[in-house]
Amino acid sequence: MYNDNERSSYEYHYSYRPESGGFQPQIPMEPQPKRGRGKKIVAGVLCAALLMGGSFGAGWFLKGWGGPRQETQVMQSERQTAKVETVSVTGSKKLTFPEVYAANVNSCVSINVSSTGYNIFYQPVKTASSGSGFIITADGYIVTNYHVVSGGTDVEVTLNNGTTYTAQVVGGDADYDIAVLKVDPGDTPLQPVVLGSSSDLQVGEDILTIGNPLGELTFSMSEGIVSCMDREINLDGTPFNMIQITSAINPGNSGGPLFNSYGEVVGIVTAKTSASNNGTTAEGLGFAIPIDDVLNMIKDIMENGQVTTHAYMGVTPDNASQYPQAGVRSGAYLVEVVENGPAAQAGLQAGDVITMLGTSTITSSSDLRSAVGSKSYLAGDTATVTYVRAGQVYTTELTFGSTLDKPAEAEPQSNIPQQDGGNYEDYYGDMEDFFNQFFGRGYAA
């Protein structure tokens, strides 16, 4: 995603200055020949020039009277440029890069998002950001990243032919960074992409992306290879298993499609890394969400407006090391257990310390959140929970609930005062969100 506040103007100026004051060859002066002999010499030179012209062509010229002759020749290929035909993506035939582009560029969209917030002086501030996306149904459903549209009040999508639609955000999932938009194409059906399987990708295989780097270079293609499959990375505390790629990923590419060499979408471009944890700079590290991991979630959002299959446990955990009264230094201390929630129904209580969930060792609250939020568990699955209570170790069977069972969270109280009847807590639930919107965020593309 690219923010206007980060945008800079790129202008390229080319100029040419003739070096008129540079070195000029000096023509030696010769004694003046006699008139009669001079006419013969001139006639001979002209005859020779005519003969030589017939043999060597116009590539020769005479530089300075009496100067050396030099050859200038421009080579031009007679190769006929191949015409790129728009082919259908069938999944059975590999396509050239130009064919992949021609087959899919009309299925890609540029996304422009605007939002209104307030600065530290409580003055309204309009911000804008850009991203990419791709059409998955002819009636106007579009996939992008959650962070591209999060917090936006107005969303517009633009096709390659310049047609712009106002889009509605159907829903999204912050944990998996996916969102679904809907536009109304009227009587003109849109051209959807063909979805492939990310599990069929192999390291070293060619991949391509189409997106809008910098929010300005719209519908640009970049190519690369698969560097690694199932690369576990962490974005804002959320673990992802990603496809690592070498294709150029820049702000504005977020949400765009990742294509295989058959022209099928196998991933959703989401982030790039330019520095490691120790500050070492890096290039050529891009990441995409495997389409197999989120396809069912996308369908769930289209039908229900949210992902309903997430496992829900019904607890508020913290690090056990912060609660010496628990008698356990490592684990997830249960600060709260939701009444009649899955954990309560399994017999867990506030003050218990979870040390294992299934086969995963739990040493902290983040371990528990990662284990519950991983692809290992869905709503309705059952797992064995190992926990400590009053110095004794117990186990219980817990059946996860759905996110639809999760109680609605209370709206946070805003510390920003009201002015002229306006309530600012719609824009800033807490100071972290406030500074994110005021100064911008930039973890992803």
Side-chain angles (χ1 to χ4, degrees), residues 40 42 50 54 66 88 90 111 117 122 171 204 226 265 280 290 363 398 403 412 439-440:
K40 294 180 181 180
V42 171
L50 290 174
S88 298
T90 63
I111 300 176
Y122 315 127
V226 176
V265 173
T280 303
T363 62
L398 183 147
T403 49
F439 294 107

Side-chain angles (χ1 to χ4, degrees), residues 90-401:
T90 63
S92 60
K93 177 186 176 183
K94 282 192 174 184
L95 307 179
T96 65
F97 289 178
E99 287 174 337
V100 172
Y101 185 83
N104 288 287
V105 68
N106 293 326
S107 303
C108 301
V109 300
S110 169
I111 300 176
N112 295 298
V113 182
S114 61
S115 59
T116 303
Y118 291 84
N119 61 20
I120 57 177
F121 306 106
Y122 315 127
Q123 298 170 327
V125 176
K126 190 105 171 171
T127 59
S129 58
S130 300
S132 304
F134 55 95
I135 301 165
I136 58 169
T137 66
D139 60 344
Y141 282 97
I142 295 169
V143 173
T144 186
N145 283 148
Y146 180 86
H147 77 261
V148 169
V149 296
S150 177
T153 54
D154 298 293
V155 180
E156 289 186 340
V157 300
T158 303
L159 306 185
N160 183 47
N161 63 9
T163 304
T164 298
Y165 299 97
T166 298
Q168 300 296 323
V169 179
V170 177
D173 188 87
D175 290 340
Y176 281 82
D177 200 16
I178 55 173
V180 177
L181 311 180
K182 180 67 170 66
V183 300
D184 182 8
D187 297 330
T188 305
L190 302 181
Q191 178 182 322
V193 298
V194 175
L195 300 180
S197 175
S198 54
S199 61
D200 293 336
L201 284 176
Q202 298 181 12
V203 173
E205 186 173 336
D206 287 331
I207 49 87
L208 304 105
T209 67
I210 298 177
N212 306 290
L214 305 181
E216 298 175 346
L217 307 177
T218 55
F219 303 99
S220 298
M221 172 182 269
S222 61
E223 56 85 22
I225 63 169
V226 176
S227 299
C228 183
M229 294 295 296
D230 295 322
R231 175 72 77 190
E232 183 174 334
I233 66 171
N234 191 295
L235 292 178
D236 278 6
T238 302
F240 286 84
N241 287 326
M242 296 277 198
I243 305 168
Q244 182 183 330
I245 58 178
T246 62
S247 179
I249 305 300
N250 291 285
N253 280 116
S254 286
L258 179 73
F259 297 102
N260 61 14
S261 55
Y262 293 86
E264 303 165 323
V265 173
V266 291
I268 306 171
V269 175
T270 190
K272 69 170 291 187
T273 296
S274 58
S276 64
N277 291 332
N278 61 11
T280 303
T281 58
E283 293 295 337
L285 295 179
F287 298 93
I289 302 169
I291 196 67
D292 291 357
D293 291 356
V294 295
L295 181 55
N296 287 333
M297 297 181 188
I298 291 170
K299 295 177 180 178
D300 201 2
I301 294 172
M302 292 169 62
E303 295 175 3
N304 302 297
Q306 62 177 312
V307 177
T308 62
T309 57
H310 279 318
Y312 168 63
M313 192 171 182
V315 298
T316 302
D318 200 354
N319 296 333
S321 58
Q322 303 296 318
Y323 300 85
Q325 69 273 20
V328 182
R329 295 183 178 181
S330 178
Y333 181 88
L334 301 186
V335 178
E336 180 185 5
V337 176
V338 176
E339 185 178 357
N340 296 324
Q345 294 177 9
L348 293 172
Q349 302 175 5
D352 292 344
V353 178
I354 296 177
T355 57
M356 289 193 70
L357 180 63
T359 58
S360 300
T361 300
I362 306 300
T363 62
S364 64
S365 59
S366 61
D367 284 349
L368 181 61
R369 291 191 183 96
S370 297
V372 175
S374 70
K375 294 181 292 183
S376 301
Y377 300 108
L378 298 175
D381 290 347
T382 298
T384 300
V385 180
T386 303
Y387 64 99
V388 177
R389 179 186 295 170
Q392 299 294 316
V393 179
Y394 301 92
T395 60
T396 185
E397 297 298 309
L398 183 147
T399 300
F400 293 102

Side-chain angles (χ1 to χ4, degrees), residues 68-88:
R69 289 175 293 189
Q70 298 179 357
E71 181 180 6
T72 297
Q73 190 172 8
V74 177
M75 305 300 294
Q76 185 173 0
S77 172
E78 295 181 356
R79 178 181 63 85
Q80 295 296 320
T81 303
K83 184 177 180 181
V84 179
E85 300 288 346
T86 301
V87 299
S88 298

